[in-house]
C-alpha cells in the first residue's frame, strides 16, 4: 500500500486527510508519509523505509520511541485496567513527583491536551482577577482555544493565515496581541490595557514559529510589568516543561509564574497535560472552588504511569544533562559544517530543541516571526524533501522545531548530521 493510496483514502474520511493540520505536509508539499512503527530514534514507514526521526511526535518522546522501561510500565498499567473515572494512586504519584521538584507548583490538575491546560488556566486567571483580557505574543501558539488562535504559530504559522476562522469578534476582543522582543511596545500595551489584563500568557522559549529565543532583559521586563499591573503570568510550558529541565524553562530562566501549563513530555507520548501553580489560584478550581473544569479521561492511569516513568527515567539517566550536552555538540557541529559549506543557514537551539533556518541578513538571532527571512518557507520545502530522501524525517513545516531524545546516540546523530548537510547542499526541487 503506497503513501498516495492511503492519503487518497484518508481524504475521504478526514478534513485534508489528517487529524491535525501540519501532518498533511502542506508546509512542505508532497504526499504525507504514513508511518507504521517507531523504535528508539527511528521511524519505519508503511513501505518499510527507515528514517532517523528529528520530529519525535512534536516533542513528547524525550526517551525515544517505545522506550523499554516505559513500555513495561504501560503494559503493566493496561493489565490493571485503563480507565476508572475515579480516584486512583497513579495520578497522585505523578503529581507528587512533580511537586517535589517544582517548588512553586503548589497544586496541579491533569487534563488531556495542552489546549485544555491553557483554556483552563485562562479561566482561573479571569476568575481570580475579575478581569477579562489576555495578552499573548505574536507567533506564540497556545493550543486551539478560541481566544488563543490570534496571530498564532504552529499550523497557523506562515504568511497567509495567522488567525482561525470561526471565532466570534466578541471573543477576539478579549485577546491583546503584542510583538515579542520589544520593551517599548510592551510598555505601550500595558499603558493602554494593563488594568484590564487578567493574565499574560507566554511560551518562555517560543517554539511554534521557529525557535525564537528571547532576551533575558525582555523576559524580566515582562515579569515586572505583570506584577505592577496585577496581571497573572501564565507560562505555557507545553513544549519546554520537563524538556528544558525538571523545572522547565521557568527553572532555567529563573522565572516564577503564577500559573503554568504542561503537555507533551509530562505524558511520555500519551494524551496527558496539566495546569497548575499557586495554591490560592488553583483552589478556585472545582470542586475546591467555583471555576468549573472536568474530564472523563483526565488523569488516565495508563498516561499517568507513562508520564511518571518517563520523568523518573530522565532523572535516573541524568537525561536533561545528557541531552543538553548531546544537542549542543550536535548543533554546534552542524552549524559549523553548514557555515563551511558556504550556506547562509543558522541553527537556533534551546536544551534539546533546535531549528534550522535561513539566517537573517545581519546574522542576528531571530526573536520574532517578522524577522524570519521570507525565503524560509521555499527553502525548507526543498531541504525537507532532500533530508527525507537521505533518511531523515524533519517536522513537515518550515516553522516547527526539531527534538532530540535519549535514543539519539552519537552514531545516529553523526548520520543525521551528514544527511542534513548533504540536504542543505543539494535541496530537492519540489
Ligand atoms: N501550547 C504550546 C506551547 C504548544 O506547543 C502546543 C502544541 N504544540 C499547545 C499549547 C497545545 O497542545 P495540544 O496540541 O496538546 O492541545
Amino acid at each position: 500500500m503506497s503513501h498516495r493510496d492511503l492519503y487518497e483514502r484518508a481524504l475521504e474520511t478526514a478534513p485534508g486527510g489528517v487529524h491535525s493540520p501540519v501532518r498533511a505536509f502542506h508546509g512542505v508539499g508532497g504526499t504525507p508519509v504514513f508511518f507504521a512503527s517507531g523504535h528508539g530514534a527511528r521511524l519505519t514507514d508503511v513501505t518499510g523505509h527507515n528514517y532517523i526521526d528529528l520530529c519525535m511526535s512534536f516533542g513528547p518522546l524525550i526517551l525515544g520511541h517505545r522506550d523499554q522501561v516505559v513500555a513495561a510500565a504501560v503494559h503493566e498499567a493496561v493489565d490493571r485496567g485503563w480507565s476508572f473515572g475515579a480516584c486512583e494512586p497513579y495520578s497522585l504519584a505523578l503529581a507528587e513527583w512533580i511537586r517535589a521538584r517544582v517548588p512553586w507548583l503548589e497544586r496541579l490538575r491533569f487534563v488531556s491536551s495542552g489546549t485544555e491546560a491553557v483554556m483552563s488556566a485562562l479561566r482561573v486567571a479571569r476568575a481570580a482577577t475579575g478581569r477579562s483580557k489576555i495578552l499573548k505574543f505574536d507567533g506564540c501558539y497556545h493550543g486551539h482555544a478560541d481566544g488563543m488562535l490570534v496571530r498564532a504559530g504552529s499550523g497557523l504559522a506562515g504568511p497567509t493565515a495567522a488567525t482561525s476562522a470561526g471565532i466570534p469578534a466578541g471573543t477576539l476582543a478579549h485577546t491583546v496581541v503584542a510583538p515579542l522582543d520589544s520593551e517599548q511596545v510592551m510598555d505601550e500595551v500595558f499603558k493602554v490595557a494593563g488594568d484590564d489584563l487578567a493574565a499574560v500568557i507566554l511560551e518562555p522559549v517560543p517554539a511554534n514559529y521557529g525557535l525564537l529565543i528571547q532576551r533575558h532583559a525582555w523576559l524580566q521586563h515582562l515579569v515586572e510589568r505583570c506584577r505592577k499591573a496585577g496581571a497573572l503570568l501564565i507560562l505555557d510550558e507545553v513544549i519546554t516543561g520537563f524538556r528544558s529541565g525538571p523545572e522547565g524553562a521557568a527553572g532555567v530562566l529563573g522565572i516564577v509564574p503564577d500559573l503554568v501549563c504542561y503537555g507533551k513530555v509530562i505524558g511520555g507520548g500519551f494524551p496527558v497535560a496539566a495546569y497548575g501553580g499557586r495554591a490560592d489560584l488553583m483552589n478556585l478550581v472545582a470542586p475546591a472552588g467555583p471555576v468549573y473544569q472536568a474530564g472523563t479521561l483526565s488523569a488516565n492511569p495508563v498516561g499517568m504511569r507513562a508520564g511518571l516513568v518517563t520523568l523518573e527515567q530522565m532523572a535516573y539517566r541524568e537525561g536533561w544533562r545528557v541531552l543538553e550536552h548531546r544537542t549542543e555538540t550536535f548543533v554546534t557541529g552542524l552549524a559549523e559544517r553548514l557555515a563551511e559549506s558556504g550556506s547562509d543557514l543558522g541553527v537556533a537551539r534551546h536544551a534539546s530543541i533546535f531549528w534550522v533556518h535561513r539566517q537573517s541578513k545581519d546574522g542576528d538571532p531571530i526573536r520574532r516571526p517578522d524577522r524570519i527571512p521570507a525565503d524560509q518557507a521555499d527553502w525548507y520545502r526543498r531541504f525537507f524533501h532532500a533530508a527525507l530522501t537521505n533518511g531523515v524525517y524533519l517536522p513537515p513545516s518550515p516553522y516547527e522545531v526539531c527534538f532530540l531524545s535519549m535514543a539519539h546516540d552519537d552514531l545516529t546523530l553523526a548520520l543525521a548530521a551528514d544527511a542534513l548537510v548533504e540536504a542543505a547542499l543539494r535541496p530537492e526541487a519540489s
Side-chain angles (χ1 to χ4, degrees), residues 20 23 57-59 112-118 140-145 154-155 201-208 235-240 261-264 271-273 400 403:
S20 196
R23 297 178 196 177
S57 189
F58 295 102
S112 303
S113 71
T115 295
E116 265 186 274
V118 167
C140 286
Y141 180 68
H142 301 293
H144 63 86
S154 190
I201 186 162
L202 173 74
E203 287 183 74
V205 184
N208 275 291
L235 286 187
D236 181 346
E237 297 233 40
V238 167
I239 285 183
T240 48
C261 302
Y262 295 125
K264 302 200 191 252
V272 176
E400 297 282 349
F403 295 95

Side-chain angles (χ1 to χ4, degrees), residues 17 23 64 75 113 135 342 356 380 405:
R23 297 178 196 177
H75 288 140
S113 71
L135 172 61
V356 187
Y380 189 86
S405 77

Side-chain angles (χ1 to χ4, degrees), residues 108 211 263:
L108 91 171
L211 187 61

Side-chain angles (χ1 to χ4, degrees), residues 7-31:
Y7 188 46
E8 273 166 14
R9 275 171 55 196
L11 285 166
E12 297 299 316
T13 57
V18 291
H19 299 280
S20 196
V22 176
R23 297 178 196 177
F25 275 32
H26 289 184
V28 291
T31 305

Side-chain angles (χ1 to χ4, degrees), residues 145-169:
D146 280 357
M148 292 291 100
L149 286 179
V150 191
R151 301 197 67 76
S154 190
L156 286 171
T160 49
T163 301
S164 170
I167 300 173

Side-chain angles (χ1 to χ4, degrees), residues 71-291:
V74 166
H75 288 140
E76 197 187 65
V78 167
D79 284 345
R80 281 194 298 249
W82 45 87
S83 191
F84 308 134
C87 292
E88 34 61 46
Y90 313 112
S91 56
L92 175 61
L94 179 54
E96 284 181 345
W97 192 98
I98 293 168
R99 233 195 70 165
R101 280 151 191 89
V102 189
W104 43 262
L105 196 79
E106 294 168 339
R107 298 282 184 283
L108 91 171
R109 167 66 59 85
F110 290 114
V111 290
S112 303
S113 71
T115 295
E116 265 186 274
V118 167
M119 216 168 67
S120 313
L122 296 181
R123 191 175 301 139
V124 170
R126 285 176 165 135
T129 58
R131 302 173 177 184
S132 69
K133 291 202 158 113
I134 306 292
L135 172 61
K136 81 175 279 290
F137 291 91
D138 190 358
C140 286
Y141 180 68
H142 301 293
H144 63 86
D146 280 357
M148 292 291 100
L149 286 179
V150 191
R151 301 197 67 76
S154 190
L156 286 171
T160 49
T163 301
S164 170
I167 300 173
T171 302
L172 294 184
H174 298 297
T175 305
V176 181
V177 185
L180 292 160
D181 195 40
S182 168
E183 282 88 342
Q184 199 192 330
V185 180
M186 190 199 301
D187 287 350
E188 284 162 21
V189 168
F190 271 92
K191 210 153 108 195
V192 175
D195 291 346
D196 301 326
L197 289 179
V200 174
I201 186 162
L202 173 74
E203 287 183 74
V205 184
N208 275 291
Y209 213 126
L211 187 61
L212 308 172
I213 294 169
Q214 299 303 298
R215 287 178 292 113
H216 205 256
W218 181 84
L219 289 165
Q220 267 335 105
H221 195 79
L222 179 63
V223 174
E224 281 158 27
R225 281 277 150 212
C226 285
R227 301 286 178 251
K228 234 179 175 166
L232 299 180
L233 177 64
I234 304 175
L235 286 187
D236 181 346
E237 297 233 40
V238 167
I239 285 183
T240 48
F242 309 104
R243 177 161 289 271
S244 305
E247 290 179 43
V252 174
L253 300 169
I255 299 174
V256 177
D258 298 297
L259 293 167
V260 67
C261 302
Y262 295 125
K264 302 200 191 252
V265 173
I266 199 176
F270 285 79
V272 176
Y275 65 106
R278 276 167 39 196
D280 62 315
L281 297 173
M282 290 304 293
N283 282 335
L284 293 172
V285 177
V291 176

